[in-house]
Amino acid sequence: MPVDYEINAHKYWNNFYKIHENGFFKDRHWLFTEFPELAPSQNQNHLKDWFLENKRSEVPECRNNEDGPSLIMEEQHKCSSKSLEHKTETPPVEENVTQKISDLEICAEEFPGSSATYRILEVGCGVGNTVFPILQTNNDPGLFVYCCDFSSTAIELVQTNPEYDPSRCFAFVHDLCDEEKSYPVPKGSLDIIILIFVLSAIVPDKMQKAINRLSRLLKPGGMMLLRDYGRYDMAQLRFKKGQCLSGNFYVRGDGTRVYFFTQEELDTLFTTAGLEKVQNLVDRRLQVNRGKQLTMYRVWIQCKYCKPLLSSTS
């Protein structure tokens, strides 16, 4: 049975989006609170200040936001100041030459968004609940957003959305686990990669290679942003006997699957892929559905990992 869920995974996700279309998930406007990297370019100075402030504070204060209780900082390590400030500092001559050569390699082949100065890729974009808020909020003329999903039905819904602008966005079908299929951008060309409740949907054994491939697409100093299900989230505790496919990996009633992470597991995935920890925190929330008189304890994990500005071998 687990083999069936793997072989027919695309069928289950296509059915999900055929049933719900774009009415299941809400637009994630909380993105810019938790991930200021996605906001307009004028907010980049705010981002740098945020990193430096947290670096000075050994016990970071909890932050409140409109979605619920404060985030709980469990662990937090920072990128080197070089990788955070590389956009504003004047690099050494050697770095200038290296960067120019790198730019020539990227520009040698035209690709969607090749003229952009800030490139964001969302993997597992669904019907665009992350992509469209970014396009609506971030008016940076140099911005280009790529988005892909396993489901061709989801991508069709993105492309037919009135907000979809081919001059600023490129949506495509892609299997995160397909080792043979390449992404439509060169290595070292992306500033941001977003993974929101998507890594948990694939087989645990395939997660590391998927993250390794994505890591190679990041520019030096580029960032990978993740938000996903944490261990002992309400959704995990509500699964019934027979729905567990393997350790902490379950199948829902509609055939889609979900894994529940620990902070340590995610840290291993990202650091093994050559990335450095910027943030790895647990977001615990108590949600109350007054209509159904239900109390729900949610556990999510939020991570930010960056690609070192210079490789250790240089």
Side-chain angles (χ1 to χ4, degrees):
M1 186 62 72
V3 175
D4 170 68
Y5 293 123
E6 176 68 8
I7 295 173
N8 295 308
H10 65 284
K11 182 183 74 174
Y12 293 116
W13 279 110
N14 277 335
N15 288 341
F16 175 88
Y17 287 112
K18 284 175 183 175
I19 294 169
H20 299 289
E21 293 188 338
N22 57 3
F24 189 82
F25 301 108
K26 295 180 180 179
D27 284 352
R28 295 160 173 157
H29 294 288
W30 53 263
L31 282 169
F32 309 106
T33 301
E34 305 302 338
F35 299 134
E37 299 87 345
L38 304 176
S41 55
Q42 56 261 34
N43 285 349
Q44 295 306 309
N45 287 332
H46 163 73
L47 171 63
K48 185 173 74 173
D49 293 342
W50 182 83
F51 278 132
L52 294 175
E53 180 65 29
N54 279 281
K55 191 171 185 177
R56 285 194 294 267
S57 174
E58 297 210 2
V59 185
E61 295 181 4
C62 293
R63 294 177 289 121
N64 290 316
N65 61 51
E66 60 190 11
D67 284 328
S70 55
L71 296 176
I72 301 170
M73 299 283 191
E74 297 287 349
E75 296 179 52
Q76 199 162 344
H77 296 273
K78 307 293 174 287
C79 291
S80 65
S81 58
K82 279 188 178 182
S83 54
L84 292 175
E85 300 177 2
H86 72 283
K87 290 189 177 181
T88 55
E89 291 183 351
T90 302
V93 175
E94 295 86 346
E95 282 185 41
N96 266 329
V97 174
T98 304
Q99 186 59 47
K100 286 178 180 176
I101 293 172
S102 177
D103 287 344
L104 285 173
E105 289 174 353
I106 291 173
C107 296
E109 182 182 350
E110 286 295 314
F111 59 95
S114 57
S115 61
T117 55
Y118 199 75
R119 302 188 189 94
I120 296 174
L121 165 66
E122 186 191 10
V123 180
C125 65
V127 297
N129 299 103
T130 295
V131 169
F132 293 124
I134 292 174
L135 292 172
Q136 291 161 5
T137 305
N138 194 332
N139 56 6
D140 181 353
L143 172 71
F144 197 89
V145 180
Y146 307 87
C147 58
C148 63
D149 200 276
F150 190 41
S151 166
S152 57
T153 303
I155 293 301
E156 185 179 345
L157 288 166
V158 170
Q159 293 172 337
T160 55
N161 189 305
E163 298 288 335
Y164 183 71
D165 182 357
S167 69
R168 302 184 68 214
C169 183
F170 180 68
F172 58 100
V173 178
H174 188 86
D175 181 356
L176 181 60
C177 299
D178 190 341
E179 297 182 38
E180 303 300 321
K181 191 174 180 181
S182 61
Y183 289 88
V185 295
K187 294 178 181 178
S189 62
L190 298 176
D191 293 275
I192 299 288
I193 295 176
I194 311 169
L195 297 159
I196 297 181
F197 299 107
V198 62
L199 192 62
S200 56
I202 69 174
V203 178
D205 291 347
K206 296 184 178 182
M207 291 178 183
Q208 187 64 67
K209 287 185 177 180
I211 295 297
N212 291 349
R213 289 192 295 275
L214 288 172
S215 176
R216 290 193 282 269
L217 299 178
L218 284 174
K219 294 177 180 178
M223 193 89 69
M224 203 172 293
L225 311 176
L226 173 140
R227 190 170 177 85
D228 220 319
Y229 297 102
R231 191 69 51 85
Y232 309 124
D233 175 65
M234 171 206 72
Q236 180 179 14
L237 301 179
R238 289 174 64 178
F239 278 113
K240 295 179 173 60
K241 186 177 180 180
Q243 288 184 279
C244 185
L245 300 175
S246 61
N248 301 296
F249 190 48
Y250 300 80
V251 61
R252 302 184 181 96
D254 60 6
T256 62
R257 297 165 300 174
V258 59
Y259 185 82
F260 296 87
F261 292 99
T262 64
Q263 289 174 281
E264 293 73 22
E265 287 172 335
L266 286 167
D267 185 68
T268 298
L269 286 170
F270 288 122
T271 54
T272 300
L275 303 178
E276 296 179 351
K277 185 191 300 181
V278 176
Q279 183 185 77
N280 186 328
L281 59 85
V282 173
D283 182 355
R284 295 186 177 90
R285 303 191 181 199
L286 173 62
Q287 293 183 336
V288 179
N289 185 323
R290 292 182 175 85
K292 297 182 179 180
Q293 294 186 327
L294 291 175
T295 300
M296 300 172 286
Y297 296 92
R298 305 313 308 262
V299 181
W300 297 310
I301 298 180
Q302 182 169 301
C303 295
K304 301 181 184 183
Y305 282 75
C306 72
K307 192 168 190 176
L309 187 57
L310 293 174
S311 66
S312 57
T313 57
S314 61

